[in-house]
Amino acid sequence: MSIKAYDDILQGSFADFFDLSNQIGDDVATQAQFVEQAFEAQYKFLEKAATSSAPSNADLQELLKPTSDRIAVIQEFRERSRTSKFFNHLSAISESIPALGWVCVAPAPGPYVKEMNDAGQFYTNRVLKDWKEKNATHVEWARKWIQTLTELQAYIKQYHTTGLVWGGKNKPAVGGGAVPPPPPPGGMPPPPPMMPLGDVTAAGGAGDERSALFAQINQGADITKGLKKVTADMQTHKNPGLRSGPAPYKAPAGVSNGTKSVAPPAAAVAKPPTFTRDGKKWLIEYQKNNHGLVVDQAEMNNVVYMFRCEGSTLTINGKINSVVMDSCKKCSLVFDSLVASAEFVNCQSVQMQAIGKVPTISIDKTDGCQMYLSEGSLDVEIVSSKSSEMNVMIPKGNGDYAEQPIPEQFKTVIKGASLNTTCVESLG
């Protein structure tokens, strides 16, 4: 029944999503092929789980490898296609496709799928916004993908509520299982002869020791007469010198709970800094404490991508299409004007200053973002998701700025059959 229900998702909402992807074509159709392969790999995995017993961790990783490999391909394709005109489509899938990892989640795999669905909603909302007035196919495409993951969550709630259910008993999912060793030639050896009861008391005086033990127990209250009295010089609270003893046991590094050896986390490998131009794309990666990064002679259709930089400042001269700051920490960005947008993803403590015009600023999974606007950027649209400590600096005209925080806290009330959400101002 569970396999049939999963197949209904593939033949229903997912099939509609796949058809719409092919109608859109280009990178969206290419990525949809990878997504289809990922769902097919999970379908085969669930078929095996329905008729097998739970495997070891090593065997489980082997069974999940086809699915995890497809997820990696989907995410790598998105990273290679940052200049694609369908980048929001690719990102919506890339951010939410880890939902297929629900098979490793317990005891709440259903909410995990919803969390992944919400992670991609930042980009599906952008698809809806950008294409609502242009092409209804893209709007339906986004809705079908959200519906697919919603149905997957409902499927898990019905058939795998607290974790993946393995349907077989004593039937390994990988290989043939352990084979018992063959019996020795000539049949099983005979059992050893039983020791006579009389030998129990005679062997090594064990019977005498046992009799003495029971005799002591049978003394009753008189058993305490043989105990020694603890004098004042033997009491540790009066003699601190008696407290010294062996050092307490310390578990060696890499041991957790005394049951499983866990290797200490490996130090991150430092990669060399890069500053290159690949056609229309400027790639700035792994720069550290470099405040002299300058993009000069850029064209209007160029894109700047800044990745894993720390303590650095990037200045962009001239008007370009867009700039993306990904996984950067304590970095600053200064630019003249942008045609499309400035994006901050997975960043910490970053700053941005617009000298000219910027139509859109996108902030996703970022903690700490200071945005200094110019007089020509006051009509900017700021889209934020899962971010905190965001402040907009609005020019006053006298060279000073007025700081305005972007709300992070919201209040939602139910009105009839709908929800009403409002910002909650901080009173602290």
Side-chain angles (χ1 to χ4, degrees):
M1 290 294 294
S2 65
I3 300 302
K4 177 65 171 60
Y6 192 88
D7 187 59
D8 289 342
I9 298 176
L10 297 182
Q11 302 300 325
S13 56
F14 179 79
D16 295 338
F17 161 80
F18 187 77
D19 291 341
L20 291 167
S21 299
N22 289 329
Q23 291 180 32
I24 296 172
D26 206 276
D27 292 334
V28 177
T30 302
Q31 189 188 55
Q33 298 286 343
F34 302 144
V35 178
E36 182 185 40
Q37 294 168 10
F39 272 87
E40 289 178 351
Q42 181 155 100
Y43 178 80
K44 294 177 181 177
F45 171 81
L46 292 175
E47 279 187 319
K48 188 163 293 187
T51 58
S52 307
S53 57
S56 64
N57 287 336
D59 291 340
L60 179 61
Q61 295 301 320
E62 180 183 343
L63 292 170
L64 292 174
K65 191 174 186 302
T67 307
S68 61
D69 286 348
R70 290 297 95 192
I71 293 176
V73 169
I74 293 167
Q75 294 177 332
E76 290 171 3
F77 180 75
R78 176 245 192 169
E79 293 301 322
R80 295 196 311 267
S81 308
R82 284 193 167 270
T83 57
S84 172
K85 62 180 180 180
F86 298 118
F87 179 71
N88 289 331
H89 297 68
L90 306 184
S91 298
I93 305 301
S94 176
E95 291 291 326
S96 54
I97 194 63
L100 295 185
W102 68 267
V103 293
C104 298
V105 178
Y112 170 77
V113 173
K114 184 181 186 304
E115 182 180 344
M116 293 300 101
N117 198 357
D118 292 343
Q121 191 172 359
F122 174 80
Y123 291 101
T124 53
N125 287 343
R126 297 184 68 174
V127 172
L128 295 173
K129 175 185 174 183
D130 294 343
W131 295 91
K132 181 171 59 176
E133 305 295 337
K134 299 178 183 178
N135 191 332
T137 302
H138 296 260
V139 176
E140 189 63 20
W141 175 91
R143 289 174 177 168
K144 284 298 179 182
W145 176 246
I146 295 174
Q147 181 182 346
T148 298
L149 295 184
T150 303
E151 291 181 3
L152 178 61
Q153 182 186 356
Y155 160 82
I156 294 169
K157 183 178 180 181
Q158 182 173 357
Y159 296 100
H160 306 276
T161 308
T162 58
L164 178 65
V165 176
W166 295 85
K169 292 185 178 180
N170 301 323
K171 182 178 179 182
V174 177
V179 180
M188 297 294 290
M194 293 184 63
M195 181 182 293
L197 294 178
D199 294 343
V200 175
T201 58
D208 296 338
E209 294 176 1
R210 231 178 252 182
S211 299
L213 174 62
F214 282 110
Q216 287 184 347
I217 295 174
N218 290 331
Q219 294 179 34
D222 294 337
I223 194 171
T224 60
K225 290 182 178 181
L227 298 178
K228 293 182 179 181
K229 183 178 181 181
V230 179
T231 59
D233 61 333
M234 300 169 61
Q235 298 173 2
T236 57
H237 69 282
K238 295 182 178 180
N239 298 275
L242 299 177
R243 301 175 191 169
S244 60
Y249 171 76
K250 289 186 178 181
V255 175
S256 175
N257 297 331
T259 58
K260 183 178 180 182
S261 178
V262 180
V269 179
K271 295 187 178 181
T274 60
F275 191 115
T276 59
R277 181 175 182 177
D278 183 10
K280 300 177 183 179
K281 188 173 184 178
W282 298 72
L283 300 176
I284 305 167
E285 301 175 319
Y286 305 106
Q287 298 284 345
K288 192 170 183 180
N289 299 325
N290 188 346
H291 296 282
L293 300 172
V294 179
V295 172
D296 208 355
Q297 297 180 352
E299 300 174 9
M300 194 177 299
N301 59 354
N302 286 185
V303 175
V304 175
Y305 179 60
M306 192 175 181
F307 178 69
R308 287 283 174 91
C309 296
E310 183 175 347
S312 300
T313 301
L314 172 64
T315 303
I316 303 175
N317 296 325
K319 189 175 184 178
I320 66 170
N321 184 274
S322 61
V323 57
V324 178
M325 189 177 284
D326 188 356
S327 303
C328 295
K329 185 177 181 180
K330 296 182 180 179
C331 289
S332 300
L333 170 66
V334 181
F335 56 85
D336 287 342
S337 293
L338 300 179
V339 176
S341 64
E343 297 186 30
F344 301 91
V345 183
N346 294 320
C347 294
Q348 294 181 12
S349 302
V350 292
Q351 293 185 356
M352 180 215 83
Q353 182 174 4
I355 306 299
K357 186 174 179 60
V358 52
T360 305
I361 301 174
S362 298
I363 311 171
D364 184 27
K365 301 175 185 175
T366 294
D367 296 324
C369 185
Q370 304 285 335
M371 293 159 279
Y372 291 84
L373 301 180
S374 64
E375 292 289 347
S377 298
L378 298 182
D379 58 345
V380 65
E381 292 184 0
I382 302 175
V383 182
S384 60
S385 173
K386 296 185 178 180
S387 299
S388 63
E389 302 176 39
M390 300 169 289
N391 295 294
V392 181
M393 306 297 180
I394 302 174
K396 293 182 177 180
N398 57 357
D400 202 359
Y401 290 87
E403 181 177 355
Q404 295 293 336
I406 295 179
E408 303 171 24
Q409 190 175 8
F410 303 91
K411 179 178 70 174
T412 300
V413 296
I414 301 175
K415 289 193 173 182
S418 62
L419 300 178
N420 182 29
T421 302
T422 56
C423 299
V424 177
E425 296 184 2
S426 175
L427 300 178

